[in-house]
Structure formats: C-alpha cells, structure tokens
Amino acid sequence: MTEFATLVRADNPGVMTLDGTNTWILRAPEADESVVVDPGPMLEDHLRAVLEAAGKVAVVLLTHKHPDHSEGAAWFANQAGCGVRAVDPAFRLPTDHAHGLSEGDVITVGGLRIEVLPTPGHTMDSVCFWLPQDGSLLTGDTVLGRGTSVVAHPDGALGPYLDSLDRLLAFANSAAGVERLLPGHGPVIDDPTDVLSFYIDHRQERLNQVRAAVAAGHTTPEAVVEHVYSDVDRSLWPAAERSVRAQLDYLNA
C-alpha cells in the first residue's frame, strides 16, 4: 500500500495464486475518482469490497486475461458504471479500439498518471502499469511478489518474456525512479533491481538445465520436468510442464 495504491486481496489462495489475487485501487491523494487494476475472480464478496474501497471508478485496467485477474471485470464494471481497458479485445468494455492498451498509452484520472508498458511473455497480452508520481510499477504476473512466474504455454512465450524482463530491468535501472513493484500476487517488492536480476538469472539457469536434459536424452516435457524440476514440489509439476513446453519451443526456434 502506498500513497497512490491500495491493495484489496481476493480470497482465492492456491499454488498458482499464492495468497490470492491482488486487486489494486489507484487514486491520487484527495481525488474523487479511482482506477481499479485486475478486479480478480468472480467472487462477489471480493468485488463488493473493492467497490466499497474504490468509490467512484473511472476505469478498470487488466494486466492480462487469466481468469484470476479478469473473470470479475465485466460484473465489476457494470456495478461501477465504468469501462474496461485491456490488450485482448474480448475483455474490453466497450469492445472498441479506444478501450485497448498499447505502448505509449497514458491514462490520467484525477491527477493520477498511469503509463502503459507492454510486457508480453507470461501471456502475450501482458502489460505493466507505471505510476511515475508514486515510483510504483504494477507487474501483474510478469513478476510475482514471491517465487517466480510461469510462462503460460500456449498463452505465452519465453522469448518475449525474456525480452520483457530485460526491458523492466533497464527501466528499473534508468532515471525513472522505480522504488517498488506491485505484483499481481504476493507482497510488494521493495528491491526491484535485485528481483528482476534474479528472475533473469533464474530463467537462464533453467534454460541451461533444459538444454542439458535434452542432450542427455530427456526429450519430452514430462521427462524434462522429472529431470530438471526434481527439487520442486510435485504439486507444481503441471505448471513446470507448461514452462518446459515454452522453453522447448524457445530452444527449437
């Protein structure tokens, strides 16, 4: 929670959602209108809690299309009397081009400035939102507050994800003044550069392990998971298999 960002967490904890989906309410101090990022799953108690905390909502923004972030967006927007902006046209309300999200877009509401940074990879429609007045970067599932993110094959792709991590690290190292990351799951990250560097190193380490596994004759995703992810809780192996499929696609390309 910051001067410009308030967290309301959905009650949907799990292996992939950690403590639950983070819904972020963005509002400039003393402003009458807010912006809601990722209303979350279709849990009415959660959505009503967000409505109460948000007050008058100017617009809903989606970091990406996964249901734990987007499922409740249409219901919420209908209750709030606002639109939904998303990269994927299927989630826009209304479904016109003006409610898309693209490189260079800036949303301004009540003195609040939000800049759109496309970061495809976790899914190909993933975006981050930069709050220059607050020093906060909302990362959706591109960077999580704990652990590492999954490249969601076939929704995502590893090549673009690695490019997005490089972009975010360069942005964090620039004069922009990134003080913290506000993720889609887990706690706030107060050391953006260190975490982004770890993400990049971790991905390269896993890629090298997959290369070695394939060279040793483990050629199917299932076999690679058993060989490379033996140190990971088996409940995470289905997600690891999706990640391995994305890594194999990347290496084959």
Side-chain angles (χ1 to χ4, degrees):
M1 186 160 173
T2 74
E3 188 179 12
F4 288 77
T6 300
L7 170 62
V8 181
R9 179 171 289 133
D11 186 18
N12 64 329
V15 171
M16 301 302 295
T17 56
L18 303 181
D19 309 305
T21 300
N22 292 341
T23 297
W24 292 101
I25 300 170
L26 309 180
R27 179 168 42 216
E30 311 301 327
D32 295 328
E33 287 188 295
S34 66
V35 173
V36 171
V37 177
D38 291 351
M42 189 58 226
L43 298 174
E44 192 168 326
D45 286 348
H46 168 68
L47 297 173
R48 291 198 180 279
V50 176
L51 280 168
E52 183 176 354
K56 185 179 180 181
V57 181
V59 67
V60 168
L61 305 178
L62 294 181
T63 61
H64 66 295
K65 66 182 181 180
H66 281 162
D68 56 315
H69 295 258
S70 65
E71 186 182 41
W75 186 95
F76 180 89
N78 180 263
Q79 296 293 313
C82 68
V84 178
R85 293 187 62 172
V87 172
D88 190 331
F91 295 90
R92 300 174 190 169
L93 290 175
T95 58
D96 55 24
H97 180 72
H99 283 77
L101 292 170
S102 302
E103 178 82 49
D105 283 354
V106 176
I107 298 104
T108 54
V109 173
L112 173 70
R113 180 181 176 91
I114 304 169
E115 301 178 12
V116 178
L117 278 69
T119 50
H122 170 71
T123 59
M124 294 310 293
D125 68 328
S126 289
V127 293
C128 293
F129 300 112
W130 167 234
L131 310 182
Q133 297 148 298
D134 196 45
S136 296
L137 182 66
L138 282 76
T139 59
D141 283 1
T142 299
V143 180
L144 303 179
R146 185 170 64 251
T148 56
S149 184
V150 172
V151 176
H153 180 90
D155 294 335
L158 185 57
Y161 184 67
L162 293 173
D163 291 342
S164 292
L165 291 179
D166 286 340
R167 178 185 188 179
L168 291 178
L169 180 59
F171 190 71
N173 282 327
S174 73
V178 181
E179 297 179 19
R180 68 191 66 83
L181 307 181
L182 307 183
H185 303 279
V188 172
I189 296 170
D190 292 318
D191 50 350
T193 299
D194 289 347
V195 168
L196 287 164
S197 296
F198 167 76
Y199 261 61
I200 293 168
D201 291 344
H202 174 75
R203 284 291 167 184
Q204 293 299 335
E205 179 183 0
R206 284 299 192 202
L207 266 178
N208 289 335
Q209 291 171 337
V210 170
R211 285 191 186 97
V214 171
H218 306 283
T219 56
T220 67
E222 296 83 1
V224 172
V225 168
E226 290 185 17
H227 184 75
V228 173
Y229 289 81
S230 59
D231 60 332
V232 174
D233 190 300
R234 291 183 71 95
S235 66
L236 295 172
W237 278 20
E241 185 178 320
R242 294 199 299 275
S243 183
V244 165
R245 289 181 185 276
Q247 291 174 82
L248 291 174
D249 284 352
Y250 175 78
L251 293 175
N252 288 334

